[in-house]
Amino acid sequence: MKLKEIAIGYIEIPLVTPFKTALRTVNSVNDLIVKVTAEDGIEGYGEAPPTAVITGDTKESIEAAIRYYIAPSITGMDLDDLPSIMAKMEKCLAKNTTAKAAVDIALYDLYAKLQKKPLFRLLGEKDPSAVKTELETDITISVNDTDEMVRDSVKTVGEGFRILKVKVGKGGEKDVERIREIRKAVGKDVVIRVDANQGWTREEAVSTITAMEDAGLGIELVEQPVSYHDFKGMQYVTAHVQTPILADESVFSYEDGVRVMEEHGADLVNIKLMKTGGIHEAVKICDAADRFGIKCMIGCMLESKVSVSAGVHLAAARSCVTMADLDGPSLCKVDPYEGGPVYQGPKILLSEDYGIGITKVPVKFERI
Ligand code: MG
């Protein structure tokens, strides 16, 4: 069965509240959607969120990468040989992980449909007994003034979420105060993950995290305390605090992941399909995590249900994935799609529908 054509279109979905981190503020999801079609008419869908401050990929660069490089390279290839398609896509242009991820996800969706399997069953064939059918996601609390963050946290816990991912990284001492007040307001049973999004220096990270430890704030982990290219800084922080450190922006590729695992650049790894360039490379990081005995989170950028659901399928398939940060659809005001995993507050329920499961994507597609 050959890959007959690739089409692209755009979707815009407003957010419930603006998404604010140490790096950016965003008001709506504005993503490119990819549709791949097999010779027999079966379709697969993928999604690309332009996250320039993290991946370097913009709306224009993603579209150009797919239109001028990826589509001409892989259209007409044999869908039964997915590894060859992935190798060709990897070679046709360097980096551009978001564009590659969107096409990779669409191809996996299509491939699983052709195999008549849900994607998570297909990805979980290495160890079917470890496959999960339900996940619990955390939800992001944006970085704001402490009062607003406390209000957001209390509201979110009231909606049933039990794991908060709190964005900090805008001032060490203020960050301790933010977490102290949130902990006071939500009580001790709520899990708090802290994400600094590269916002601290290594010394600031150690003193801030140590202050949180000394205050008994019960932080589960701290994500990406220092700049993504400061590998030694990540090692330093990991070695000097008790709280587990999770590498996010430091790990894009399989090679990045292996380096962190081998050289103890962090205790945990956050895999995001938009950083790895899709499922193909993410699976390799999961294999490495199994070898090293490292636990992983599957995270997402600010994305809607198509690509987040691809992350859901991978998270459900692999035992090394013990944490889900797949709150994109929960942050969107509406769900414009039909089918796919069901997002019920913090719970995500997988179905036995083939592929990713999404059946309707209300986008005007242009064949390229
Ligand atoms: Mg992060």
Side-chain angles (χ1 to χ4, degrees), residues 302-317:
L302 199 50
E303 303 161 35
S304 68
K305 199 171 158 184
V306 176
S307 50
V308 174
S309 295
V312 166
H313 279 266
L314 179 60

Side-chain angles (χ1 to χ4, degrees), residues 26-266:
V26 188
N27 295 306
S28 65
V29 166
N30 277 286
D31 290 358
L32 180 142
I33 303 289
V34 173
K35 182 173 78 173
V36 295
T37 309
E39 281 174 309
D40 64 358
I42 294 184
E43 296 168 343
Y45 298 103
E47 176 180 355
T51 315
V53 290
I54 297 171
T55 58
D57 299 330
T58 64
K59 186 178 163 188
E60 293 78 10
S61 74
I62 292 166
E63 184 175 327
I66 297 173
R67 186 186 289 275
Y68 302 117
Y69 293 86
I70 297 172
S73 298
I74 66 170
T75 303
M77 287 185 79
D78 186 357
L79 285 163
D80 297 323
D81 187 3
L82 211 48
S84 291
I85 302 183
M86 295 304 170
K88 192 90 184 281
M89 178 157 70
E90 185 50 42
K91 269 195 195 145
C92 77
L93 84 169
K95 304 189 189 292
N96 285 276
T97 53
T98 311
K100 287 173 183 169
V103 178
D104 165 294
I105 290 167
L107 287 168
Y108 269 95
D109 183 28
L110 175 56
Y111 182 77
K113 284 175 184 165
L114 292 172
Q115 303 292 314
K116 300 196 183 329
K117 286 178 184 165
L119 183 56
F120 73 106
R121 298 278 178 210
L122 189 78
L123 297 173
E125 280 174 354
K126 186 180 173 188
D127 181 7
S129 66
V131 168
K132 309 172 269 280
T133 55
E134 185 179 323
L135 303 174
E136 179 169 0
T137 182
D138 60 29
I139 190 153
T140 301
I141 303 298
S142 283
V143 59
N144 280 301
D145 289 339
T146 304
D147 290 351
E148 192 172 347
M149 292 177 77
V150 168
R151 272 200 304 277
D152 286 348
S153 300
V154 170
K155 179 170 169 277
T156 303
V157 169
E159 289 164 0
F161 288 89
R162 298 184 302 183
I163 312 171
L164 303 179
K165 173 142 142 180
V166 184
K167 297 288 190 181
V168 296
K170 286 201 160 179
E173 265 178 50
K174 265 200 105 177
D175 287 336
V176 179
E177 181 202 304
R178 287 181 168 105
I179 301 300
R180 186 187 297 119
E181 294 307 312
I182 290 172
R183 173 57 82 201
K184 221 190 271 174
V186 300
K188 64 178 186 353
D189 294 335
V190 171
V191 175
I192 297 181
R193 298 172 176 161
V194 169
D195 189 355
N197 282 106
Q198 316 176 54
W200 297 325
T201 63
R202 63 178 81 172
E203 292 78 15
E204 203 178 10
V206 170
S207 64
T208 306
I209 297 167
T210 304
M212 289 180 190
E213 289 170 356
D214 292 347
L217 301 184
I219 304 307
E220 184 196 34
L221 58 88
V222 173
E223 186 168 335
Q224 198 64 40
V226 301
S227 171
Y228 73 95
H229 52 63
D230 186 10
F231 188 82
K232 286 215 152 45
M234 287 289 281
Q235 280 179 318
Y236 178 85
V237 178
T238 303
H240 286 83
V241 300
Q242 304 287 319
T243 309
I245 301 298
L246 170 67
D248 181 7
E249 289 95 323
S250 291
V251 176
F252 270 57
S253 65
Y254 167 75
E255 288 76 15
D256 295 338
V258 167
R259 187 178 181 210
V260 162
M261 295 174 199
E262 248 172 13
E263 299 178 35
H264 209 199

Side-chain angles (χ1 to χ4, degrees), residues 224-360:
Q224 198 64 40
V226 301
S227 171
Y228 73 95
H229 52 63
D230 186 10
F231 188 82
K232 286 215 152 45
M234 287 289 281
Q235 280 179 318
Y236 178 85
V237 178
T238 303
H240 286 83
V241 300
Q242 304 287 319
T243 309
I245 301 298
L246 170 67
D248 181 7
E249 289 95 323
S250 291
V251 176
F252 270 57
S253 65
Y254 167 75
E255 288 76 15
D256 295 338
V258 167
R259 187 178 181 210
V260 162
M261 295 174 199
E262 248 172 13
E263 299 178 35
H264 209 199
D267 302 291
L268 308 156
V269 171
N270 187 348
I271 301 170
K272 292 178 180 166
L273 300 180
M274 299 305 144
K275 296 185 299 177
T276 59
I279 294 166
H280 184 70
E281 184 91 352
V283 164
K284 285 168 37 187
I285 301 180
C286 288
D287 290 341
D290 286 345
R291 287 201 302 278
F292 285 96
I294 297 269
K295 297 299 177 206
C296 297
M297 171 184 280
I298 299 281
C300 58
M301 304 293 182
L302 199 50
E303 303 161 35
S304 68
K305 199 171 158 184
V306 176
S307 50
V308 174
S309 295
V312 166
H313 279 266
L314 179 60
R318 298 298 300 251
S319 60
C320 66
V321 180
T322 57
M323 298 165 285
D325 173 30
L326 296 163
D327 59 354
S330 311
L331 305 176
C332 292
K333 232 178 216 163
V334 290
D335 174 8
Y337 308 105
E338 279 177 21
V342 176
Y343 296 75
Q344 276 179 357
K347 296 260 183 282
I348 306 175
L349 312 171
L350 287 107
S351 82
E352 298 295 330
D353 294 337
Y354 299 156
I356 292 170
I358 291 180
T359 50
K360 194 175 152 208

